[in-house]
Amino acid sequence: MSIPIVRTVAELRQTVVAWRREGLRVAVVPTMGALHEGHLGLVRTALDRADRVIVTLFVNPKQFNNPADLAAYPRTEHEDAAKLAPLGAHLLYAPFASEMYPDGFATTVSVAGVSEALCGAFRPGHFDGVATVVAKLFLQTGADLALFGEKDFQQLHVVRRMARDLDIPIEIVACPTVREEDGLAMSSRNARLSRSERQVAPKLAAILFEAAARIADGAPVDATLDEARSAIATAGYARIEYLELRAKEDLAPLQTLDRPGRLLVAAWLGETRLIDNVEVPSQPGIMTRTAA
Ligand code: PAF
Protein backbone atom coordinates (compact mmCIF):
# COMPACT_ATOMS: atom_id res chain seq x y z
CA MET A 1 0.00 0.00 0.00
CA SER A 2 1.41 3.41 -0.91
CA ILE A 3 0.21 6.98 -1.19
CA PRO A 4 0.49 8.83 -4.53
CA ILE A 5 2.95 11.73 -4.36
CA VAL A 6 2.69 14.82 -6.58
CA ARG A 7 5.23 17.62 -6.78
CA THR A 8 3.77 20.23 -9.08
CA VAL A 9 0.74 22.51 -8.92
CA ALA A 10 -0.35 21.25 -12.37
CA GLU A 11 -0.46 17.60 -11.21
CA LEU A 12 -2.21 18.58 -8.00
CA ARG A 13 -4.89 20.58 -9.83
CA GLN A 14 -5.50 17.80 -12.34
CA THR A 15 -6.29 15.40 -9.49
CA VAL A 16 -8.47 17.86 -7.59
CA VAL A 17 -10.42 18.83 -10.73
CA ALA A 18 -11.26 15.13 -11.30
CA TRP A 19 -12.44 14.79 -7.67
CA ARG A 20 -14.57 17.91 -8.02
CA ARG A 21 -16.24 16.50 -11.14
CA GLU A 22 -17.36 13.59 -8.97
CA GLY A 23 -18.74 16.05 -6.41
CA LEU A 24 -16.24 15.01 -3.71
CA ARG A 25 -15.41 17.12 -0.65
CA VAL A 26 -11.68 17.77 -0.28
CA ALA A 27 -9.66 18.37 2.90
CA VAL A 28 -6.07 19.52 3.24
CA VAL A 29 -3.70 18.88 6.15
CA PRO A 30 -0.70 21.22 5.80
CA THR A 31 2.52 19.86 7.37
CA MET A 32 6.26 20.24 7.24
CA GLY A 33 6.69 16.47 7.58
CA ALA A 34 8.38 14.52 10.39
CA LEU A 35 4.87 13.29 11.05
CA HIS A 36 3.84 12.24 14.56
CA GLU A 37 0.57 11.16 16.17
CA GLY A 38 -0.59 14.80 16.27
CA HIS A 39 -0.43 15.02 12.47
CA LEU A 40 -1.94 11.56 12.03
CA GLY A 41 -4.85 12.62 14.26
CA LEU A 42 -5.47 15.58 11.93
CA VAL A 43 -5.49 13.20 8.97
CA ARG A 44 -7.97 10.87 10.70
CA THR A 45 -10.29 13.80 11.47
CA ALA A 46 -9.95 14.96 7.86
CA LEU A 47 -10.90 11.49 6.62
CA ASP A 48 -14.01 11.59 8.82
CA ARG A 49 -15.07 14.95 7.43
CA ALA A 50 -14.16 14.81 3.76
CA ASP A 51 -14.16 12.36 0.83
CA ARG A 52 -10.58 13.05 -0.20
CA VAL A 53 -7.62 14.10 1.95
CA ILE A 54 -4.48 15.82 0.69
CA VAL A 55 -1.52 16.00 3.07
CA THR A 56 1.02 18.63 2.14
CA LEU A 57 4.68 18.27 3.04
CA PHE A 58 6.86 21.29 2.54
CA VAL A 59 9.61 22.55 4.85
CA ASN A 60 8.88 26.19 4.19
CA PRO A 61 12.11 28.23 4.22
CA LYS A 62 10.19 31.50 4.50
CA GLN A 63 8.94 30.75 8.01
CA PHE A 64 12.38 30.04 9.51
CA ASN A 65 13.99 33.15 10.93
CA ASN A 66 17.06 31.12 11.87
CA PRO A 67 19.01 29.32 9.07
CA ALA A 68 20.43 26.76 11.54
CA ASP A 69 16.89 25.85 12.59
CA LEU A 70 15.91 25.34 8.94
CA ALA A 71 18.99 23.19 8.30
CA ALA A 72 18.29 21.05 11.38
CA TYR A 73 14.60 20.53 10.59
CA PRO A 74 13.98 16.78 10.11
CA ARG A 75 13.28 15.66 6.54
CA THR A 76 11.69 12.23 6.53
CA GLU A 77 9.49 12.06 3.44
CA HIS A 78 9.86 8.30 2.95
CA GLU A 79 8.80 7.51 6.53
CA ASP A 80 6.03 10.12 6.37
CA ALA A 81 4.56 8.55 3.22
CA ALA A 82 4.70 5.13 4.90
CA LYS A 83 2.74 6.47 7.88
CA LEU A 84 0.06 8.06 5.70
CA ALA A 85 -0.66 5.16 3.37
CA PRO A 86 -2.31 2.81 5.92
CA LEU A 87 -4.55 5.62 7.19
CA GLY A 88 -6.10 5.97 3.74
CA ALA A 89 -4.99 9.56 2.97
CA HIS A 90 -5.41 10.06 -0.75
CA LEU A 91 -2.55 12.28 -1.90
CA LEU A 92 0.77 13.59 -0.62
CA TYR A 93 1.63 16.96 -2.13
CA ALA A 94 5.36 17.49 -1.60
CA PRO A 95 6.25 20.34 -3.93
CA PHE A 96 9.75 21.28 -5.02
CA ALA A 97 10.96 24.55 -3.46
CA SER A 98 11.15 25.98 -7.00
CA GLU A 99 7.47 25.15 -7.48
CA MET A 100 6.45 27.07 -4.38
CA TYR A 101 8.86 29.94 -4.84
CA PRO A 102 9.86 30.19 -8.49
CA ASP A 103 12.45 32.75 -9.63
CA GLY A 104 11.04 36.22 -9.25
CA PHE A 105 8.62 35.29 -6.45
CA ALA A 106 7.85 38.61 -4.77
CA THR A 107 4.65 38.35 -2.73
CA THR A 108 4.32 38.19 1.04
CA VAL A 109 1.07 37.70 2.92
CA SER A 110 1.33 39.58 6.19
CA VAL A 111 -1.40 39.45 8.83
CA ALA A 112 -1.14 42.51 11.06
CA GLY A 113 -2.07 42.43 14.75
CA VAL A 114 -2.39 38.78 15.61
CA SER A 115 1.05 37.96 14.11
CA GLU A 116 2.90 40.55 16.16
CA ALA A 117 3.03 39.36 19.80
CA LEU A 118 4.02 36.03 21.40
CA CYS A 119 5.97 33.93 18.83
CA GLY A 120 5.80 36.81 16.36
CA ALA A 121 7.83 39.02 18.70
CA PHE A 122 10.60 36.42 19.01
CA ARG A 123 10.60 35.05 15.46
CA PRO A 124 10.56 38.06 13.12
CA GLY A 125 8.95 37.20 9.78
CA HIS A 126 7.83 33.76 10.93
CA PHE A 127 4.10 34.36 10.57
CA ASP A 128 4.55 36.17 7.25
CA GLY A 129 6.19 32.98 6.01
CA VAL A 130 3.39 30.84 7.44
CA ALA A 131 0.59 33.05 6.06
CA THR A 132 2.25 33.18 2.62
CA VAL A 133 2.74 29.44 2.27
CA VAL A 134 -0.65 28.53 3.76
CA ALA A 135 -2.43 30.97 1.42
CA LYS A 136 -0.62 29.31 -1.49
CA LEU A 137 -1.52 25.82 -0.25
CA PHE A 138 -5.18 26.81 0.13
CA LEU A 139 -5.27 28.26 -3.39
CA GLN A 140 -3.27 25.43 -4.95
CA THR A 141 -5.40 22.66 -3.43
CA GLY A 142 -8.75 24.50 -3.59
CA ALA A 143 -9.72 22.42 -0.55
CA ASP A 144 -13.08 22.80 1.20
CA LEU A 145 -11.55 22.45 4.65
CA ALA A 146 -8.14 22.59 6.29
CA LEU A 147 -7.08 21.06 9.59
CA PHE A 148 -4.63 22.56 12.07
CA GLY A 149 -3.54 21.55 15.58
CA GLU A 150 -4.24 23.81 18.56
CA LYS A 151 -0.65 23.25 19.66
CA ASP A 152 0.22 26.15 17.31
CA PHE A 153 -2.57 28.28 18.70
CA GLN A 154 -1.32 31.62 17.40
CA GLN A 155 -0.74 30.11 13.95
CA LEU A 156 -4.38 29.00 13.97
CA HIS A 157 -5.49 32.59 14.59
CA VAL A 158 -3.16 33.93 11.88
CA VAL A 159 -4.44 31.40 9.34
CA ARG A 160 -8.11 32.06 10.17
CA ARG A 161 -7.62 35.83 9.83
CA MET A 162 -5.73 35.43 6.56
CA ALA A 163 -8.39 33.16 4.99
CA ARG A 164 -11.18 35.48 6.13
CA ASP A 165 -9.43 38.64 4.94
CA LEU A 166 -8.54 37.18 1.53
CA ASP A 167 -12.00 35.60 1.04
CA ILE A 168 -10.52 32.16 0.56
CA PRO A 169 -13.56 29.86 0.75
CA ILE A 170 -12.19 27.25 3.16
CA GLU A 171 -13.34 26.02 6.56
CA ILE A 172 -10.56 25.97 9.16
CA VAL A 173 -10.91 23.10 11.60
CA ALA A 174 -8.96 23.26 14.88
CA CYS A 175 -8.02 19.96 16.54
CA PRO A 176 -6.91 19.58 20.18
CA THR A 177 -3.21 19.20 20.98
CA VAL A 178 -2.10 15.58 21.14
CA ARG A 179 0.18 14.80 24.09
CA GLU A 180 2.59 12.07 25.04
CA GLU A 181 1.53 9.99 28.05
CA ASP A 182 3.60 12.22 30.32
CA GLY A 183 1.84 15.35 29.02
CA LEU A 184 4.48 16.69 26.62
CA ALA A 185 2.78 18.23 23.59
CA MET A 186 3.73 16.29 20.47
CA SER A 187 6.05 18.21 18.17
CA SER A 188 8.53 17.37 15.44
CA ARG A 189 11.06 19.28 17.57
CA ASN A 190 10.81 16.79 20.46
CA ALA A 191 13.10 14.46 18.49
CA ARG A 192 15.92 16.96 19.07
CA LEU A 193 15.79 16.62 22.87
CA SER A 194 18.57 14.67 24.59
CA ARG A 195 17.54 11.83 26.89
CA SER A 196 17.87 14.02 30.00
CA GLU A 197 16.06 16.95 28.35
CA ARG A 198 13.25 14.62 27.34
CA GLN A 199 12.74 13.82 31.05
CA VAL A 200 12.52 17.49 31.96
CA ALA A 201 10.37 18.49 28.96
CA PRO A 202 6.89 17.42 30.25
CA LYS A 203 7.26 19.65 33.31
CA LEU A 204 6.37 22.58 31.08
CA ALA A 205 2.89 21.17 30.39
CA ALA A 206 2.40 20.20 34.03
CA ILE A 207 3.24 23.74 35.20
CA LEU A 208 1.02 25.22 32.51
CA PHE A 209 -1.98 23.07 33.45
CA GLU A 210 -1.51 23.87 37.13
CA ALA A 211 -1.27 27.63 36.54
CA ALA A 212 -4.32 27.50 34.24
CA ALA A 213 -6.33 25.64 36.89
CA ARG A 214 -5.36 28.14 39.58
CA ILE A 215 -6.26 31.13 37.42
CA ALA A 216 -9.56 29.47 36.50
CA ASP A 217 -10.21 29.07 40.25
CA GLY A 218 -9.71 32.78 40.79
CA ALA A 219 -5.98 33.11 41.67
CA PRO A 220 -4.45 36.48 40.69
CA VAL A 221 -3.08 36.31 37.14
CA ASP A 222 0.25 38.17 37.57
CA ALA A 223 1.34 36.37 40.73
CA THR A 224 0.36 32.98 39.34
CA LEU A 225 2.31 33.60 36.14
CA ASP A 226 5.36 34.76 38.13
CA GLU A 227 5.28 31.55 40.17
CA ALA A 228 4.89 29.48 37.02
CA ARG A 229 7.89 31.25 35.42
CA SER A 230 10.03 30.40 38.47
CA ALA A 231 8.84 26.79 38.36
CA ILE A 232 9.71 26.51 34.63
CA ALA A 233 13.21 27.89 35.28
CA THR A 234 13.71 25.61 38.29
CA ALA A 235 12.62 22.63 36.18
CA GLY A 236 15.60 23.27 33.89
CA TYR A 237 14.33 25.44 31.06
CA ALA A 238 17.13 27.87 30.25
CA ARG A 239 15.08 30.72 28.84
CA ILE A 240 11.40 31.60 28.83
CA GLU A 241 10.43 33.72 25.84
CA TYR A 242 6.89 34.30 27.04
CA LEU A 243 4.26 32.97 29.38
CA GLU A 244 1.07 34.94 28.91
CA LEU A 245 -2.65 34.80 29.49
CA ARG A 246 -4.53 35.82 26.36
CA ALA A 247 -8.16 35.83 25.28
CA LYS A 248 -9.02 32.60 23.51
CA GLU A 249 -11.16 34.40 20.92
CA ASP A 250 -8.73 37.05 19.65
CA LEU A 251 -5.49 36.60 21.63
CA ALA A 252 -5.87 40.01 23.32
CA PRO A 253 -3.76 40.25 26.52
CA LEU A 254 -5.77 39.54 29.70
CA GLN A 255 -4.96 40.95 33.14
CA THR A 256 -7.99 39.27 34.67
CA LEU A 257 -9.97 36.29 33.50
CA ASP A 258 -13.05 38.17 32.33
CA ARG A 259 -13.59 35.89 29.30
CA PRO A 260 -12.35 32.48 28.16
CA GLY A 261 -8.56 32.50 28.12
CA ARG A 262 -5.59 30.62 26.81
CA LEU A 263 -2.29 30.35 28.61
CA LEU A 264 0.57 30.27 26.11
CA VAL A 265 4.26 29.59 26.62
CA ALA A 266 7.50 29.37 24.64
CA ALA A 267 10.69 28.28 26.36
CA TRP A 268 14.08 26.84 25.49
CA LEU A 269 15.30 23.50 26.77
CA GLY A 270 18.96 23.38 25.77
CA GLU A 271 19.01 24.11 22.04
CA THR A 272 15.34 23.28 21.51
CA ARG A 273 12.52 25.78 21.55
CA LEU A 274 9.24 24.32 22.77
CA ILE A 275 5.80 25.90 22.73
CA ASP A 276 2.57 24.86 24.41
CA ASN A 277 -0.79 26.31 25.40
CA VAL A 278 -3.83 25.31 27.42
CA GLU A 279 -7.33 26.60 27.82
CA VAL A 280 -8.35 28.68 30.84
CA PRO A 281 -12.12 28.68 31.11
CA SER A 282 -13.60 31.80 32.66
CA GLN A 283 -16.07 29.79 34.75
CA PRO A 284 -14.33 27.85 37.53
CA GLY A 285 -14.60 24.08 37.50
CA ILE A 286 -15.06 23.44 33.77
CA MET A 287 -11.45 22.98 32.73
CA THR A 288 -10.77 19.91 30.61
CA ARG A 289 -7.30 18.52 29.98
CA THR A 290 -6.81 18.14 26.23
CA ALA A 291 -4.21 15.42 26.62
CA ALA A 292 -4.40 12.40 24.31
O1 PAF B 1 2.46 23.99 11.41
C1 PAF B 1 3.22 23.73 10.46
O2 PAF B 1 3.74 22.61 10.33
C2 PAF B 1 3.56 24.80 9.44
O3 PAF B 1 3.64 26.04 10.05
C3 PAF B 1 2.58 24.84 8.25
C4 PAF B 1 1.17 25.21 8.70
C5 PAF B 1 2.55 23.48 7.56
C6 PAF B 1 3.03 25.89 7.24
O4 PAF B 1 4.29 25.61 6.74
Side-chain angles (χ1 to χ4, degrees):
M1 201 189 316
S2 64
I3 181 168
I5 302 179
V6 294
R7 303 208 184 268
T8 64
V9 180
E11 291 171 287
L12 173 68
R13 291 224 167 105
Q14 215 175 7
T15 307
V16 176
V17 165
W19 289 342
R20 290 254 172 256
R21 272 199 213 106
E22 293 177 60
L24 300 174
R25 186 169 156 80
V26 179
V28 62
V29 180
T31 84
M32 295 205 298
L35 302 183
H36 51 64
E37 248 330 290
H39 297 112
L40 303 185
L42 297 178
V43 174
R44 287 190 197 98
T45 306
L47 285 162
D48 284 346
R49 299 185 57 152
D51 305 302
R52 292 291 180 270
V53 173
I54 304 169
V55 178
T56 73
L57 191 177
F58 180 63
V59 182
N60 174 32
K62 289 197 184 293
Q63 70 186 76
F64 286 82
N65 52 310
N66 174 349
D69 194 22
L70 172 62
Y73 205 85
R75 286 160 174 85
T76 55
E77 182 182 305
H78 190 69
E79 291 86 339
D80 293 340
K83 287 178 189 168
L84 292 170
L87 295 185
H90 300 88
L91 194 69
L92 180 59
Y93 174 49
F96 304 116
S98 57
E99 186 75 6
M100 287 306 258
Y101 302 121
D103 281 350
F105 186 88
T107 300
T108 299
V109 179
S110 189
V111 183
V114 71
S115 292
E116 286 158 21
L118 303 169
C119 287
F122 291 89
R123 302 186 67 189
H126 167 67
F127 285 121
D128 287 0
V130 170
T132 303
V133 82
V134 173
K136 284 175 69 75
L137 292 170
F138 285 178
L139 296 169
Q140 290 173 346
T141 59
D144 299 291
L145 66 155
L147 293 93
F148 292 87
E150 286 186 340
K151 151 109 185 330
D152 296 293
F153 201 71
Q154 189 178 10
Q155 168 172 282
L156 193 56
H157 276 268
V158 170
V159 166
R160 278 193 203 285
R161 185 77 259 165
M162 176 275 291
R164 205 175 304 152
D165 288 356
L166 298 182
D167 301 313
I168 301 179
I170 192 163
E171 181 193 349
I172 312 289
V173 178
C175 298
T177 302
V178 178
R179 297 180 181 278
E180 304 284 357
E181 274 188 9
D182 59 13
L184 177 64
M186 287 197 186
S187 163
S188 308
R189 290 171 192 271
N190 294 351
R192 297 191 200 170
L193 298 170
S194 69
R195 191 177 291 218
S196 58
E197 287 167 348
R198 178 62 189 81
Q199 286 181 335
V200 168
K203 294 185 181 168
L204 187 66
I207 294 164
L208 209 55
F209 276 108
E210 195 192 321
R214 288 178 55 200
I215 293 170
D217 280 345
V221 173
D222 280 351
T224 307
L225 294 187
D226 280 347
E227 282 167 34
R229 284 187 196 98
S230 303
I232 293 167
T234 306
Y237 278 80
R239 187 154 55 93
I240 302 167
E241 286 187 352
Y242 62 80
L243 171 67
E244 290 189 31
L245 180 67
R246 297 261 167 170
K248 178 182 171 188
E249 205 49 41
D250 58 6
L251 289 187
L254 291 185
Q255 305 305 325
T256 54
L257 189 63
D258 50 12
R259 50 204 148 125
R262 203 87 190 178
L263 198 51
L264 303 105
V265 69
W268 286 81
L269 192 51
E271 297 299 304
T272 309
R273 181 180 185 272
L274 296 178
I275 60 171
D276 201 347
N277 67 87
V278 300
E279 64 172 316
V280 191
S282 52
Q283 282 170 281
I286 58 163
M287 187 159 146
T288 56
R289 191 175 185 279
T290 53

